């Protein structure tokens, strides 16, 4: 499939997990990539692996923390300088924080989750949208979570941040659809990435595999999702094929969020 051929796409949190899977999927469809992550070592590995698999695409990497506004401004400027335009933006970097009941949640951790998951996504929108506005074209995918459409036990900060991501997605669609910019969010359920592996360790430090099996058993599909399954939806939403979908938050969770 080549429906992203020669498009320039920025992906944050691209060094591993959902960001890396989306990068591979977009590269396989012909996109040129600007990969952003604050983990320099993993980002370098991701770059080497993608370059080996897809030598024909252009790829730059920037080590940046998405919760640092000036770093976000800089990676957007660098992408524009290198490629001349920004067609797609996968606004993905995020953290889970620690699991604790609401009234016992560590306040500093709460602020950190908000800084990365909410402010990081907002800074990205703030600096990418004006570029897309000038082009009269853009595709944005914000990464929310089922925690952006449902409550999740012991994850107050994460749930607050992801509901905010879903809300900002609606506003971006309202305010910028007229400029040919489609902004949607995805709401993955439990997808097997390093972040989710760490969550199962928090739930059951002595036997994280049993926590994983228990979680999967309550899913209608009886399994966790794979990063590639999310990457394919992301690539669709970053392409011209989603030209009349705007402001939506699309669950990718094997059907679990329908459960009552
Ligand atoms: P992950 O921890 O496996 O990977 C996240 C990547 O983002 C890492 O490479 C990390 O270095 C980078 N990152 C984290 N904070 C950053 C920052 N401040 N600046 C720059 N880079 C940063 O996580 P994942 O599971 O791939 O999650 C990616 C996104 O998907 C997150 O927003 C997460 O909330 C969301 N999500 C994941 C799942 C899931 O099941 N894996 C479910 C719902 C939502």
């Amino acid at each position: 499939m080549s429906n992203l051929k020669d498009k320039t796409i920025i992906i944050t949190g691209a060094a591993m997990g959902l960001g890396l899977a989306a990068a591979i999927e977009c590269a396989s469809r012909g996109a040129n990539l600007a990969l952003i992550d604050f983990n320099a070592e993993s980002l370098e590995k991701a770059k080497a692996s993608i370059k080996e698999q897809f030598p024909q695409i252009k790829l730059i990497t920037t080590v940046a923390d998405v919760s640092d506004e000036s770093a976000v401004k800089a990676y957007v400027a660098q992408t524009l300088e290198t490629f001349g335009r920004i067609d797609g933006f996968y606004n993905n970097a995020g953290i889970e924080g620690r699991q604790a009941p609401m009234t016992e949640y560590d306040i500093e951790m709460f602020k950190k989750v908000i800084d990365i998951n909410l402010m990081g996504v907002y800074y990205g929108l703030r600096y990418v949208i004006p570029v897309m506005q000038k082009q009269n074209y853009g595709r944005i995918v914000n990464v929310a979570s089922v925690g952006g459409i449902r409550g999740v036990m012991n994850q107050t900060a994460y749930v607050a941040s992801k509901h905010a991501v879903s809300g900002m997605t609606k506003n971006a669609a309202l305010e910028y659809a007229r400029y040919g910019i489609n902004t949607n969010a995805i709401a993955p359920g439990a997808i097997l990435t390093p972040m989710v592996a760490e969550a199962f360790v928090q739930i059951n430090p002595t036997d994280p595999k049993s926590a994983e099996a228990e979680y999967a058993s309550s899913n209608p599909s009886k399994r966790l999702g794979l990063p590639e399954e999310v990457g394919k939806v992301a690539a669709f939403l970053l392409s011209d094929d989603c030209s009349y979908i705007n402001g939506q938050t699309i669950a990718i969770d094997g059907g679990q969020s329908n459960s009552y």
Side-chain angles (χ1 to χ4, degrees), residues 33-173:
L33 301 174
L35 304 183
I36 319 298
D37 207 288
F38 68 0
N39 182 332
E41 201 185 323
S42 299
L43 187 60
E44 204 44 49
K45 279 191 198 142
K47 178 183 177 180
S49 155
I50 294 171
K51 271 191 164 285
E52 196 185 333
Q53 293 175 69
F54 308 102
Q56 72 285 6
I57 72 154
K58 294 191 198 96
L59 189 165
I60 59 168
T61 53
T62 307
V63 177
D65 182 337
V66 299
S67 66
D68 174 350
E69 184 186 351
S70 59
V72 174
K73 198 173 173 182
Y75 81 61
V76 172
Q78 191 199 0
T79 306
L80 195 57
E81 199 182 307
T82 307
F83 295 104
R85 57 185 287 123
I86 301 169
D87 299 292
F89 181 37
Y90 192 53
N91 206 357
N92 162 74
I95 60 168
E96 191 206 7
R98 307 305 298 175
Q99 299 200 10
M102 190 181 291
T103 55
E104 294 163 33
Y105 205 98
D106 180 79
I107 299 267
E108 284 313 306
M109 179 54 77
F110 196 105
K111 288 179 180 167
K112 186 174 172 186
V113 171
I114 296 298
D115 266 353
I116 295 176
N117 293 8
L118 197 169
M119 296 311 296
V121 165
Y122 171 67
Y123 295 142
L125 294 171
R126 186 177 177 97
Y127 291 104
V128 167
I129 286 174
V131 177
M132 292 180 166
Q133 240 179 314
K134 280 197 194 121
Q135 300 167 172
N136 255 300
Y137 180 88
R139 296 284 181 268
I140 298 172
V141 179
N142 295 323
V143 178
S145 165
V146 285
I149 50 179
R150 294 274 182 271
V152 183
M153 279 296 278
N154 294 333
Q155 296 196 36
T156 303
Y158 187 77
V159 164
S161 71
K162 293 300 187 177
H163 273 72
V165 169
S166 182
M168 283 193 291
T169 299
K170 291 174 187 154
N171 253 59

